[in-house]
Amino acid sequence: MTAGVVQPGGWVIACLANLDPGSSSPPAPVVRGEVVTVAGLEGATDTVDVLVEPSAWLVGAAGSRALQLKDRSRIRVLAGPSDLLATLFLHAARAPESSQRRLAQLRLDKPAFLFGNDQLILGDTSGQAVLGTARVLDPQGDRKHWQQKAQLALLEARADAPSDAGCVAVWVQSALARHGIVGREGFLNASSFSAGEIRAALEQLAVEDRVVLTPDLAADPIWWRGLLARAAEAVDRAHRIHPEWVGLPLGDLHARIQDALPLPETFEAMLTALGKGGFVRDSEFIRRASHRAHLPPRLEAAGAWVRQVLTEQPCEPPSRKDLTPDADAARALQFLIETGEAVEVGPDQVLDARAYRQAVERIVECLRQQGQATLSELRQRAGCPRRIIVPLCEKLDQEGLTRREGDVRRLGPAAPS
């Protein structure tokens, strides 16, 4: 160790006699064996997955059977200055042969702060004999799922890797294979690897297409491709079943794949990736770039009827209720609104898009000429009845094209110059 430099996971003796907790309250006592670390790491744990190796002097020693490491045996764990009691659980509930390493889980009597790749000493509860050593493979063990296939694959990969800093790539890939996707901030902080080593490993694996990186996330390539394929199929299914839709609503897409989104940032990162792979999104929908909304055959007649009614009396169309006497007409009208052929002026008012543009142009021209106008004056200029001009002006107020001042309106900040 270089003088004055401690590598991640290293143990040092520190004098904290003048510890200042940064508050007016008296500092809590710091005793031998406690860990002082930076904020942002995972907390202390009472369960760690390890690779156990019996002590060399026990191998082949006569009469040593009583001292050998056995499943569910009580042992003492020395982690730096910490002296802990624990129960040892061996994978497959088999005691290791005297020369055989074995995956295991240590269930500590009280929580301790341990780093990945930490080297531990295992002894008997009396403290009289060293039984073996253990290397921490997962400092945040799971008592319920510790023998699941995915977790076992992670442990086996890390157990076969060298114990020095060169194994950081193995730790990165095994974590991604286990969890699919992780946040880059704080990833593997609770390990003996430095932030620079972790970052360099991620970047190198990304160059080799063995990791997918976004600014905030790191993902296993197989898992990531599966997520994108699932999202793409959801969009394609919407196109097949509802060709009249502009695209699949983003809320619907999120609901359909929510179980595959372990982190909140995953959805936005997935949408960005889809946008680079032949999909187009806006604030509300996502679609394939090749998709063009069209009415299915069963709605073509209804669509033609709605178009005809809207254009016959462009400034005085019937109410929405009269425009949609049945479900097919309602779907056809919604299609015309979403594709821009019709404009929803109010909850019960819909205009043909051309008639809408003409009415807006006349209102803007009137206000530009006069400076201000009453609702009655705008109604006469636009040629619309009161049931249309009232919600139309309210819509323009919301969009900033007009601005209401008492009983008159003026041009708003969004009005064209």
Side-chain angles (χ1 to χ4, degrees):
M1 180 179 71
T2 304
V5 177
V6 180
Q7 296 299 321
W11 294 94
V12 297
I13 298 175
C15 178
L16 301 175
N18 297 318
L19 179 66
D20 181 4
S23 67
S24 58
S25 60
V30 179
V31 300
R32 178 180 176 84
E34 291 188 339
V35 175
V36 178
T37 185
V38 297
L41 299 182
E42 294 187 59
T45 178
D46 62 359
T47 307
V48 290
D49 291 321
V50 297
L51 177 67
V52 171
E53 186 167 6
S55 178
W57 74 270
L58 286 177
V59 177
S64 64
R65 182 175 182 80
L67 294 175
Q68 290 183 8
L69 294 166
K70 297 181 179 180
D71 184 51
R72 301 177 185 268
S73 60
R74 294 285 293 169
I75 60 174
R76 186 175 297 276
V77 179
L78 300 180
S82 300
D83 190 344
L84 310 165
L85 290 176
T87 302
L88 175 72
F89 285 79
L90 297 173
H91 271 273
R94 292 192 301 268
E97 298 175 2
S98 58
S99 61
Q100 185 182 18
R101 302 183 307 168
R102 182 59 56 89
L103 296 175
Q105 186 172 89
L106 293 176
R107 300 181 182 179
L108 308 174
D109 287 8
K110 62 179 182 178
F113 200 102
L114 299 176
F115 269 27
N117 234 16
D118 268 354
Q119 298 288 340
L120 312 176
I121 298 175
L122 308 181
D124 65 357
T125 55
S126 68
Q128 300 300 310
V130 174
L131 302 181
T133 59
R135 178 157 58 97
V136 177
L137 302 180
D138 188 349
Q140 296 290 330
D142 186 335
R143 297 190 181 192
K144 183 177 180 180
H145 304 112
W146 70 297
Q147 297 208 69
Q148 281 189 347
K149 184 177 180 181
Q151 180 67 7
L152 186 59
L154 175 143
L155 300 178
E156 289 176 340
R158 293 179 177 181
D160 291 337
S163 60
D164 57 23
C167 70
V168 60
V170 176
W171 278 65
V172 168
Q173 285 191 281
S174 60
L176 295 181
R178 174 70 175 92
H179 303 291
I181 191 167
V182 299
R184 294 180 64 175
E185 181 69 25
F187 178 48
L188 292 183
N189 267 3
S191 71
S192 61
F193 311 120
S194 69
E197 290 172 331
I198 297 169
R199 182 173 58 254
L202 285 170
E203 292 172 354
Q204 181 58 38
L205 290 170
V207 170
E208 300 169 1
D209 294 325
R210 292 192 286 167
V211 168
V212 176
L213 292 182
T214 75
D216 301 317
L217 302 169
D220 175 74
I222 296 176
W223 183 93
W224 184 249
R225 288 193 293 269
L227 177 65
L228 296 184
R230 183 173 172 182
E233 172 54 29
V235 176
D236 291 339
R237 177 179 173 81
H239 290 342
R240 291 193 302 269
I241 297 177
H242 297 287
E244 72 276 15
W245 288 4
V246 174
L248 178 63
L250 294 180
D252 289 0
L253 176 60
H254 188 279
R256 295 181 188 187
I257 63 172
Q258 188 172 8
D259 62 311
L261 302 174
L263 300 173
E265 307 92 333
T266 308
F267 187 68
E268 185 62 32
M270 180 201 70
L271 293 178
T272 300
L274 289 174
K276 298 176 181 179
F279 290 81
V280 177
R281 59 168 290 199
D282 59 24
S283 59
E284 298 181 2
F285 300 94
I286 184 168
R287 62 175 175 85
R288 279 202 180 269
S290 58
H291 174 71
R292 297 295 180 268
H294 61 277
L295 286 172
R298 71 179 187 280
L299 297 180
E300 288 179 353
W305 180 81
V306 173
R307 287 190 183 99
Q308 179 181 348
V309 173
L310 286 175
T311 55
E312 282 179 347
Q313 296 178 297
C315 293
E316 298 186 41
S319 68
R320 187 165 189 158
K321 179 180 179 181
D322 293 333
L323 272 173
T324 55
D326 54 41
D328 285 353
R331 294 192 188 97
L333 177 61
Q334 188 62 35
F335 168 80
L336 297 180
I337 293 172
E338 292 178 356
T339 56
E341 289 190 57
V343 178
E344 194 172 31
V345 176
D348 195 43
Q349 298 83 17
V350 178
L351 288 176
D352 172 73
R354 183 179 179 183
Y356 171 80
R357 289 192 296 270
Q358 289 177 346
V360 173
E361 290 171 359
R362 291 168 183 168
I363 291 172
V364 171
E365 182 182 5
C366 176
L367 294 177
R368 182 172 289 114
Q369 292 174 350
Q370 299 180 195
Q372 65 180 38
T374 64
L375 190 65
S376 178
E377 291 173 322
L378 294 177
R379 179 181 65 80
Q380 293 177 3
R381 181 64 70 93
C384 299
R386 183 176 178 81
R387 69 179 181 84
I388 296 294
I389 197 64
V390 170
L392 174 58
C393 287
E394 291 175 349
K395 175 179 173 65
L396 298 183
D397 291 343
Q398 293 176 355
E399 295 175 352
L401 286 173
T402 59
R403 183 179 71 253
R404 181 175 179 177
E405 297 179 357
D407 293 333
V408 300
R409 278 179 168 81
R410 299 179 182 274
L411 287 178
S417 58

